[in-house]
Amino acid sequence: MPPGSTHPAAVPLDDDDYPAYTMGRAADMLGTTPAFLRSLGEHRLITPLRSEGGHRRYSRYQLRIAARARELVDAGTAVEAACRIIVLEDQLEEAQRINEQLRQRPADRSDKTDA
């Protein structure tokens, strides 16, 4: 608790990026092993934050990504390939979002030249 406070420090419960879960808890929630989570970090799919003691801490957002990777691995995809698939899916989704925004933008009239 902060000095002079009778309430626990505010924890951002609605923040998907808050690193609330230890490696053990994250592995339990996903029904996997800590080694699987470490492998996702080695393949740079997720990068957990570290506590002051150096322990990995995972956010809900990272757990959703890890769950997707586990689905692919459970279906027979190699971990490295699963990580690459997820990265490419995210890139495609972002590109589609940008394209949609560009389509909705009014045509730029400054490109026309006067004759």
Side-chain angles (χ1 to χ4, degrees), residues 43-93:
H43 293 293
R44 296 188 175 128
L45 180 62
I46 56 176
T47 304
L49 293 176
R50 299 282 182 149
S51 68
E52 290 181 17
H55 299 283
R56 290 173 179 89
R57 304 285 295 197
Y58 296 89
S59 68
R60 288 186 302 204
Y61 174 73
Q62 290 171 326
L63 293 184
R64 284 195 300 273
I65 293 171
R68 175 69 179 124
R70 177 162 185 230
E71 289 173 2
L72 290 169
V73 168
D74 287 350
T77 306
V79 172
E80 184 175 4
C83 293
R84 186 68 181 138
I85 288 167
I86 293 168
V87 167
L88 290 171
E89 287 174 342
D90 285 349
Q91 290 174 347
L92 176 60
E93 184 179 314

